[in-house]
Amino acid sequence: MEDVVRPGNLSADGRLATADDATLVAACAERVPGAFQELLSRYRRPAVTLAYQMMGNLEDAEDVAQEAFVRVFQAIPRFRGQASFSTWLYRIVTNLCLGSRRRRKATVALDAVREPRASDSPSRQVTEALLTRQVLGAMAPELRAILLLRDQEGLSYTEIAEALRLPLGTVRSRLSKARTAFRQMWRKLSESGEEQS
Amino acid sequence: MTCRLYEEQLSSYLDGELPARRAARLDAHLKTCPHCRAELTALGGIAGRLRAVSSQVQVSHDFDRRVIRAVGYWHVTGWQKPVRSYLKPLVILALFLLAMMGAVWHFFTRPLGPPLPEPQPAISAVAPVVPGASVPPMQDPEAR
């Protein structure tokens, strides 16, 4: 007899941690105690990291990620599962970031990643991380979003199209534009850095 | 086709999203063009740079607690937290009622008006008779 996993009895038999996302989402929609916490523990870091790279500082990023999880919790009974849960979550996070940035109409410096301290050796990794943050901060938010979804979160073109509600062709061309912009700004900033040193 | 036109296809080529015929043409071009090969390598390195930064991000230790508080603990966890969340106001209410009862008891049991003077012992007109003491002789007032 095949063991059928039902969302309702996940909490009782302690299988939340091993349930797949779809089962967990169904359990969360039925308000099974602990199901939302398990989703939170799985997607806390990707959500905050994406928001951080979009917003530029950790405080705003955590506020956005918190708001995204609240929206997920409220809307999950209506989630039909056309896209994967992660794609849906990334869409909410990205939209909140873009909306938030539009409201502020200001670009903040990416400053929440630990700054190199005096005791740190000025390694190439630290320099590159600082340069990456500078380049991301200088990019247009829409280009930054598509670049992060592809190259940081590893979404497919189809998933990006679902997350950003764009045609596939637009995803392709915008991603190319975003990568080229990143590459050009990286080159420009690294050259200016070399001149200063 | 110039390098500029090939460069526009490098991103899709990198992700395996270029149609087969175009990919074959770009393959052939890359074999002969060191500039486009360098561009392709650079574009391929962006993911690593982004992940290097994101790996340094530290999520606050109380992030989950803040989210669950924002959502509403009862909805997330079931019945455990509400019992505890009701406990505090109940204790406060009980203490308040006790204080009120104490105040009422004190109000109704305290004496009204200024305190009464202590009652004085009554003065006896007849000296007490001490057993064994000599009794003075009665005088006849008509004997004078």
Side-chain angles (χ1 to χ4, degrees):
Chain A
M1 182 96 180
E2 195 181 339
D3 186 20
V4 179
V5 178
R6 294 184 191 284
N9 60 21
L10 279 173
S11 179
D13 59 16
R15 281 188 283 176
L16 281 172
T18 54
D20 61 15
D21 279 3
T23 311
L24 210 51
V25 165
C28 197
E30 290 183 15
R31 303 302 191 223
V32 172
F36 181 70
Q37 285 145 302
E38 181 58 32
L39 271 180
L40 188 59
S41 73
R42 285 186 196 182
Y43 287 98
R44 171 204 310 127
R45 186 172 170 74
V48 172
T49 306
L50 176 61
Y52 166 72
Q53 297 275 50
M54 284 294 295
M55 302 298 292
N57 69 80
L58 196 57
E59 196 181 346
D60 286 347
E62 289 194 348
D63 285 349
V64 163
Q66 178 180 322
E67 176 64 23
F69 278 112
V70 170
R71 291 191 184 191
V72 161
F73 186 80
Q74 288 167 346
I76 212 162
R78 299 187 299 279
F79 178 61
R80 301 277 172 231
Q82 299 97 327
S84 68
F85 173 77
S86 59
T87 304
W88 183 48
L89 176 65
Y90 290 141
R91 176 165 68 217
I92 295 171
V93 172
T94 308
N95 285 341
L96 284 170
C97 289
L98 291 173
S100 173
R101 294 186 70 90
R102 277 191 201 109
R103 279 196 297 274
R104 287 190 203 180
K105 297 200 183 272
T107 304
V108 289
L110 289 161
D111 57 2
V113 169
R114 187 177 69 85
E115 292 290 345
R117 298 186 187 118
S119 58
D120 290 341
S121 61
S123 68
R124 192 181 156 195
Q125 281 181 336
V126 172
T127 313
E128 286 194 355
L130 289 170
L131 199 56
T132 304
R133 287 161 46 194
Q134 272 186 298
V135 171
L136 276 177
M139 286 177 76
E142 285 77 12
L143 295 184
R144 188 186 313 140
I146 203 163
L147 185 69
L148 291 170
L149 288 176
R150 176 63 199 159
D151 281 348
Q152 180 175 290
E153 305 302 333
L155 267 64
S156 69
Y157 281 29
T158 312
E159 287 171 328
I160 296 171
E162 285 169 354
L164 300 180
R165 296 198 168 154
L166 292 172
L168 210 54
T170 308
V171 170
R172 194 173 285 119
S173 61
R174 195 178 282 184
L175 180 61
S176 174
K177 201 174 167 185
R179 281 172 169 163
T180 306
F182 186 96
R183 169 85 179 116
Q184 286 173 348
M185 269 184 260
W186 177 277
R187 192 185 298 159
K188 188 178 164 187
L189 286 171
S190 57
E191 280 170 4
S192 67
E194 281 170 14
E195 280 172 16
Q196 284 174 2
S197 61
Chain B
M1 196 180 273
T2 64
C3 277
R4 187 175 173 77
L5 290 173
Y6 280 121
E7 278 176 15
E8 289 173 3
Q9 299 176 7
L10 286 175
S11 174
S12 298
Y13 177 82
L14 187 69
D15 296 324
E17 292 281 338
L18 206 60
R21 192 178 287 181
R22 284 194 197 175
R25 275 206 297 266
L26 185 53
D27 266 334
H29 174 75
L30 285 170
K31 281 175 187 164
T32 60
C33 180
H35 169 77
C36 284
R37 278 203 304 272
E39 281 299 307
L40 184 67
T41 307
L43 294 183
I46 293 174
R49 297 188 198 287
L50 295 177
R51 287 175 186 159
V53 173
S54 67
S55 67
Q56 295 175 38
V57 175
Q58 300 285 330
V59 182
S60 300
H61 65 279
D62 65 339
F63 178 76
D64 286 14
R65 191 169 52 80
R66 284 190 280 139
V67 172
I68 288 169
R69 193 194 299 154
V71 165
Y73 204 96
W74 181 84
H75 291 294
V76 178
T77 59
W79 285 98
Q80 294 162 356
K81 183 71 179 179
V83 173
R84 290 184 63 189
S85 67
Y86 284 127
L87 206 59
K88 194 176 173 184
L90 278 177
V91 168
I92 292 170
L93 184 67
L95 288 174
F96 176 75
L97 285 174
L98 274 174
M100 289 297 292
M101 283 168 66
V104 168
W105 181 81
H106 178 74
F107 180 79
F108 282 110
T109 55
R110 71 172 184 168
L112 295 173
L116 294 171
E118 285 290 319
Q120 297 298 316
I123 300 167
S124 177
V126 180
V129 177
V130 179
S134 59
V135 178
M138 294 278 289
Q139 290 181 354
D140 186 4
E142 292 180 3
R144 286 184 188 174

